[in-house]
Amino acid sequence: MLTERQDAYGRMMWGYLNGEPITEIVERDDGWIAPSGGAPSYFAEFKQWPRHQQVAMRFVRGRVLDVGCGAGRCCLYLQKRGHQVVGIDISPLAIKTCRKRGVKDARVLPFTRVSRALGRFDTILMMGANFGLFGSRRRARWLLRRLHALTTPHARILAESNNVYQTKDPDHLRYHRFNRRRGRMSGQLRIRVRCRRHCSPWFDYLMVSPKEMRVILSGACDVS
Amino acid sequence: MLTERQDAYGRMMWGYLNGEPITEIVERDDGWIAPSGGAPSYFAEFKQWPRHQQVAMRFVRGRVLDVGCGAGRCCLYLQKRGHQVVGIDISPLAIKTCRKRGVKDARVLPFTRVSRALGRFDTILMMGANFGLFGSRRRARWLLRRLHALTTPHARILAESNNVYQTKDPDHLRYHRFNRRRGRMSGQLRIRVRCRRHCSPWFDYLMVSPKEMRVILSGACDVS
């Protein structure tokens, strides 16, 4: 759970909800810095979502765990469709935002702390590149085993990533090489999120190609 | 003069000129961070300028030194009106941008290095809060004396500042108190500019009230 000063991501959402002009900034450990996609995307209605996210919703069934639920856009959409949804996020202000917007069950909880105490789920949702919350190959396998323990036999994980290799940006390509040289996956971004005086701790956010995702998942199946 | 990696401000302008989506980010030494006003304002045509800047142009006469000329919007406007203009900026990429856009005399030169070698000026221009380039009360007086040496007897300085006291933002008010506690003027912002992998050195940018500006100027007159 983030402290008040660390909750940059939540600060952005809470500010946006309250009509402040506010920007979330992402800083990478090679010194690269840029604004994030922006608050509006966290608040977008279903109609405005990217097509692939809309399509993903067709695969949702039963009881849903929304991992890194942000401002609760998926929770709200699925609630309305009759699903029982639990939204979790590491950010207290994100969860406050979710509740204010009508998410019925939103909890401040790091992904690493999910447990059977939350009940059983038929769908695990990780939209908006939230596959990244797995952090690294090794951590992904460990977390997939945890998810396995709290899902029903035919449960689905609907997770989204950005294919890091689809870029020609020299800054990003240099960063991929930098990562590989230090024994990390190309898309294992070490970042922190900033917003005004708020600054998150550094954390790993994992962006993978479809092939890399398959390798990670198949490895997890072997051990679980 | 800034090195390539330090030239974040120029990187933003050069990127914008070349159609890149690019944001300049300002970081303050209390950890506060936010996007700047944005590239378009540096490229704005006279018609889009704030009213007070348009009015200021009426006071321009003769040969002009544009201090911190950025992407050259003032230089271009005044050139067209028949003025001889010298634009100076610490940023190599800003000067490259100026030249590309048609500024006839744009030079990479820190404000602290202005000298009689530039010739005599009838107007010194410091638009867009560039009074801030004076840095501090003490530095302002020293630089005003330098400007005195390269101006004609009835020369004018047209300088713009933001009145820092016109804010209710608790982050900014806290920063003013922080500055006063360490013996600085409330609006003596210690900032650095970042853009992608580029990051400027920390520097002081001075924002003053009209009264503070008067005090600084009258002090300078006493000594010059």
Side-chain angles (χ1 to χ4, degrees), chain A residues 5 11 23 25 27-28 30-35 169 171-172 174 192 194-198, chain B residues 5 11 23 25 27-28 30-35 169 171-172 174 192 194-198:
Chain A
R5 268 303 284 277
R11 177 66 184 80
T23 307
I25 287 163
E27 191 175 5
R28 203 169 57 191
D30 62 340
W32 184 91
I33 196 164
D169 187 312
D171 287 342
H172 297 336
R174 185 189 290 112
R192 60 181 184 179
R194 305 179 64 173
C195 182
R196 296 173 157 266
R197 292 178 67 242
H198 302 258
Chain B
R5 268 302 284 278
R11 177 67 185 81
T23 306
I25 288 163
E27 191 175 4
R28 202 169 57 192
D30 63 337
W32 184 91
I33 197 164
D169 187 311
D171 287 342
H172 297 337
R174 184 190 289 111
R192 61 181 184 180
R194 304 179 66 173
C195 182
R196 296 174 158 267
R197 292 178 67 243
H198 303 259

Side-chain angles (χ1 to χ4, degrees), chain B residues 157-216:
Chain B
I157 298 176
L158 302 174
E160 184 182 358
S161 185
N162 281 337
N163 187 344
V164 276
Y165 302 101
Q166 286 179 343
T167 182
K168 287 177 179 174
D169 187 311
D171 287 342
H172 297 337
L173 295 172
R174 184 190 289 111
Y175 186 70
H176 297 172
R177 288 193 298 272
F178 171 53
N179 261 346
R180 290 193 297 268
R181 270 204 312 276
R182 52 181 178 164
R184 291 158 67 92
M185 290 180 74
S186 304
Q188 199 175 335
L189 316 182
R190 191 150 184 81
I191 57 175
R192 61 181 184 180
V193 173
R194 304 179 66 173
C195 182
R196 296 174 158 267
R197 292 178 67 243
H198 303 259
C199 184
S200 81
W202 289 99
F203 63 99
D204 282 353
Y205 200 69
L206 182 62
M207 305 274 203
V208 291
S209 69
K211 191 181 162 192
E212 287 172 335
M213 191 187 280
R214 269 194 298 271
V215 170
I216 287 171

